């Protein structure tokens, strides 16, 4: 009998940058870059990156709940974004790059809200990350999938040039995860 799997969806700016940290987490079975939250069915990267489709770049995470729970996924998510930035993430600006946790049920919504409140309390952050009901998820084009593996030099240059790692170190110190 196959193991039970669950899915979670997170948005944290450029979807390329969330894939590696989730892939590295034991219990994560698969990650997929894509788009969610907009009005256009089957949007293209060009439509989403224009900021006019209503969609957000997002990462779908398929995981084995026997090996990793939603709370641990939230921990990885928070430490790979700037939750204080309402205008996008790092050098990627606009509503299509904002951060969000998409919940599938009351338990996920409750966990996300509790995690957010705990972080605000512990860190003194005013968190801008939205907590939204899950919407239709559309897979991004194939060239976006596993980008960090397929194009490691370009990916590294992008992360550095965008200031992502520097800002994550400022926010999270040793807790920042790549």
């Amino acid at each position: 009998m196959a193991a039970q799997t669950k899915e979670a969806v997170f948005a944290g700016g450029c979807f390329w940058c969330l894939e590696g940290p989730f892939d590295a987490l034991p219990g994560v079975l698969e990650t997929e870059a894509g788009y969610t939250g907009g009005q256009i069915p089957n949007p293209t990267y060009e439509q989403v990156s224009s900021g006019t489709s209503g969609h957000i770049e997002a990462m779908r995470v398929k995981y084995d709940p026997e090996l990793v729970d939603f709370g641990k996924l939230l921990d990885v998510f928070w430490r790979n974004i700037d939750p204080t930035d309402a205008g996008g993430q790092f050098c990627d600006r606009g509503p299509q790059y904002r951060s969000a946790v998409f919940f599938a049920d009351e338990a996920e919504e409750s966990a996300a809200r509790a995690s957010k409140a705990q972080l605000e309390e512990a860190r003194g952050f005013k968190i801008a990350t939205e907590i939204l009901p899950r919407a239709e998820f559309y897979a991004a084009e194939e060239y976006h999938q596993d980008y960090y593996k397929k194009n490691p030099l370009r990916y590294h240059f992008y992360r550095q040039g965008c200031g992502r790692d520097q800002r994550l170190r400022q926010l999270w110190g040793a807790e920042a995860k790549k």
Side-chain angles (χ1 to χ4, degrees), residues 56-70:
I56 306 171
E57 283 196 14
M59 181 60 52
R60 179 166 50 193
V61 179
K62 293 182 182 177
Y63 66 100
D64 180 341
E66 303 262 330
L67 300 175
V68 64
D69 64 16
F70 188 69

Side-chain angles (χ1 to χ4, degrees), residues 18-28 31 76 148-149 177-178:
L18 289 179
E19 199 163 20
F22 282 121
D23 280 347
L25 187 61
V28 168
T31 55
V76 169
Y148 77 105
K149 291 178 186 176
K177 304 207 180 355
K178 280 208 261 187

Side-chain angles (χ1 to χ4, degrees), residues 9-174:
V9 177
F10 302 95
C14 175
F15 43 38
W16 298 341
C17 297
L18 289 179
E19 199 163 20
F22 282 121
D23 280 347
L25 187 61
V28 168
L29 307 171
E30 181 182 322
T31 55
E32 185 173 32
Y35 317 110
T36 192
Q39 303 80 29
I40 301 171
N42 300 306
T44 65
Y45 177 73
E46 288 73 23
Q47 289 171 316
V48 174
S49 65
S50 75
T52 61
S53 72
H55 286 286
I56 306 171
E57 283 196 14
M59 181 60 52
R60 179 166 50 193
V61 179
K62 293 182 182 177
Y63 66 100
D64 180 341
E66 303 262 330
L67 300 175
V68 64
D69 64 16
F70 188 69
K72 182 61 178 170
L73 296 176
L74 285 166
D75 289 344
V76 169
F77 169 70
W78 291 124
R79 280 149 186 88
N80 281 281
I81 67 164
D82 178 350
T84 67
D85 190 344
Q89 288 288 290
F90 314 100
C91 67
D92 294 315
R93 311 311 300 159
Q96 69 275 31
Y97 295 112
R98 69 191 190 273
S99 62
V101 175
F102 295 91
F103 60 87
D105 56 31
E106 287 181 24
E108 285 184 1
E109 180 181 14
S110 179
R113 291 192 187 287
S115 177
K116 179 178 176 177
Q118 188 276 329
L119 239 131
E120 285 183 323
E121 175 74 23
R123 294 286 184 153
F125 291 163
K126 173 65 178 128
I127 294 181
T129 301
E130 297 173 77
I131 298 173
L132 302 168
R134 191 155 333 145
E136 184 77 27
F137 182 90
Y138 300 96
E141 295 80 354
E142 181 56 36
Y143 71 93
H144 288 298
Q145 307 303 330
D146 296 318
Y147 189 86
Y148 77 105
K149 291 178 186 176
K150 295 176 189 172
N151 300 285
L153 293 176
R154 285 184 181 164
Y155 171 72
H156 179 73
F157 184 73
Y158 165 78
R159 276 188 80 102
Q160 293 303 317
C162 200
R164 189 176 194 111
D165 293 327
Q166 179 182 3
R167 180 65 177 143
L168 290 176
R169 282 191 299 276
Q170 289 173 345
L171 286 167
W172 304 107

